Amino acid sequence: MTSRDVARRAGVSQSTVSYVLNDTPGQTISAATRARVQEAAAALAYTPSAAARALRAGRTDTVLVVLADMPVSPAAVAIMGVLGATLRPYGYADVYQRRDGRDLSQMIASLTPVAVVDLGAFTFAEVTAEAARGVPVVGVSLDGVDGHLVRVPQRTIGRLQAEHLVARGHTRLGYAAAADPRATALARGRAAGVHEVCAERGLPEPVTVDVPLYPDAAERAVRRLRERPDPVTGVCAYDDEVALAVLAGLRAAGLSAPRDLAVVGVDDAPLARLAAPALTTVDVQTADVGASLARHVLNRVQPSLGLPEPDDEPSIHLVVRAST
């Protein structure tokens, strides 16, 4: 069915059908005519063409979400889930792509999105330059200082980990980094937070080791932390996956947490509760991040909704379990 069929059935012009079904502002169309067009469209099961609407508007109803070139963590998956679920009731489809070294302008040109959500893939300068060309760009800042709208300060995460271990009496800390080099952007800030706490408390710099996600490699990493003149007794892990690898390495080395090495992760992934022992971790309220990003998008592409401005920094707190 086409809009011409709806017009014929309703006894109106094709342009009137377009005005009614697209709710075009500034038109003086009577309520009776609107009802007649809507009834005809329903009777014919007519759905306006999304492609034609995009062609007329010069954009799609797509929100492009760009992922940084780093491993996709459970936290990122949760953010994307809430973001999409918040946008879809308003008629917007979320499409996810990795940056893969591309310019933001290239990605926008290929999809003509109504807005872009940058999940740490671009610098603030890149985002600002593209937004000036007319496409709203909502970004997440990983360090909390570069001007993006939503801030997830990674130093705060590292500080929470280290402060908890110090409060438990640990004076020789370690940092268990992800072996995947793509994790550098997040790891840099988290490790910096751990270093800051050690410096402020007059403690030695933390011992940093890469922890691959294999039992034999994790065991070797644990031994590098423990078999030294000043053994590490508390370790801050890049995320829960790395923390679980540390726990596996401890078991392989005949050691245990927290007796030999206290372990703190990040993300509060479901598996953290099932670890043996259950994993102490930092929980970033990812639902808040996803909802804030979606709200910022809606406020820019559909300001008539009058939605309140969201909080721009999620709650970050420690979940204490048996591993410390």
Side-chain angles (χ1 to χ4, degrees), residues 118-208:
D118 167 31
L119 294 184
F122 300 98
T123 66
F124 182 59
E126 289 173 301
V127 166
T128 302
E130 201 55 46
R133 297 187 179 99
V135 178
V137 184
V138 175
V140 171
S141 166
L142 298 180
D143 58 17
V145 298
D146 66 3
H148 280 82
L149 288 171
V150 179
R151 301 175 297 276
V152 186
Q154 302 302 307
R155 286 174 183 259
T156 299
I157 293 172
R159 290 187 64 90
L160 274 176
Q161 291 178 298
E163 287 167 352
H164 172 68
L165 291 173
V166 171
R168 285 285 194 274
H170 297 279
T171 57
R172 195 66 177 103
L173 303 189
Y175 188 79
D180 191 329
R182 297 175 301 167
T184 302
L186 289 175
R188 186 186 301 114
R190 296 175 185 182
V194 177
H195 278 261
E196 284 177 358
V197 170
C198 289
E200 291 167 3
R201 303 298 180 89
L203 303 178
E205 284 195 359
V207 178
T208 300

Side-chain angles (χ1 to χ4, degrees), residues 13-35:
S13 68
Q14 197 172 347
S15 59
T16 298
V17 171
S18 176
Y19 293 149
V20 171
L21 297 184
N22 290 307
D23 199 20
T24 304
Q27 302 300 315
T28 56
I29 300 172
S30 69
T33 300
R34 287 181 178 276

Side-chain angles (χ1 to χ4, degrees), residues 24-295:
T24 304
Q27 302 300 315
T28 56
I29 300 172
S30 69
T33 300
R34 287 181 178 276
R36 199 159 67 247
V37 170
Q38 290 163 349
E39 289 167 5
L44 295 174
Y46 169 74
T47 303
S49 166
R53 189 167 59 246
L55 190 62
R56 287 193 302 270
R59 61 166 176 76
T60 63
D61 288 330
T62 298
V63 175
L64 171 61
V65 184
V66 186
L67 306 174
D69 295 330
M70 66 176 67
V72 179
S73 67
V77 172
I79 289 170
M80 291 186 286
V82 174
L83 172 64
T86 306
L87 290 173
R88 284 191 287 274
Y90 294 94
Y92 299 103
D94 46 315
V95 174
Y96 298 87
Q97 292 191 358
R98 284 191 181 275
R99 177 174 185 176
D100 290 331
R102 291 174 291 173
D103 292 335
L104 181 54
S105 58
Q106 294 174 319
M107 304 183 79
I108 289 175
S110 65
L111 282 175
T112 60
V114 67
V116 175
V117 174
D118 167 31
L119 294 184
F122 300 98
T123 66
F124 182 59
E126 289 173 301
V127 166
T128 302
E130 201 55 46
R133 297 187 179 99
V135 178
V137 184
V138 175
V140 171
S141 166
L142 298 180
D143 58 17
V145 298
D146 66 3
H148 280 82
L149 288 171
V150 179
R151 301 175 297 276
V152 186
Q154 302 302 307
R155 286 174 183 259
T156 299
I157 293 172
R159 290 187 64 90
L160 274 176
Q161 291 178 298
E163 287 167 352
H164 172 68
L165 291 173
V166 171
R168 285 285 194 274
H170 297 279
T171 57
R172 195 66 177 103
L173 303 189
Y175 188 79
D180 191 329
R182 297 175 301 167
T184 302
L186 289 175
R188 186 186 301 114
R190 296 175 185 182
V194 177
H195 278 261
E196 284 177 358
V197 170
C198 289
E200 291 167 3
R201 303 298 180 89
L203 303 178
E205 284 195 359
V207 178
T208 300
V209 295
D210 283 345
V211 184
L213 303 181
Y214 302 99
D216 57 337
E219 179 186 355
R220 290 192 293 272
V222 165
R223 291 191 183 281
R224 289 199 300 276
L225 291 170
R226 292 291 300 161
E227 295 175 359
R228 44 188 300 120
D230 52 344
V232 170
T233 62
V235 65
C236 307
Y238 163 73
D239 65 3
D240 287 348
E241 281 191 344
V242 172
L244 292 172
V246 171
L247 293 180
L250 281 168
R251 288 192 296 273
L255 305 173
S256 66
R259 185 191 65 194
D260 300 297
L261 187 66
V263 185
V264 187
V266 179
D267 285 341
D268 196 21
L271 286 178
R273 287 159 249 167
L274 303 177
L279 183 63
T280 294
T281 185
V282 176
D283 182 14
V284 179
Q285 295 296 308
T286 50
D288 293 350
V289 178
S292 294
L293 289 168
R295 187 75 61 77

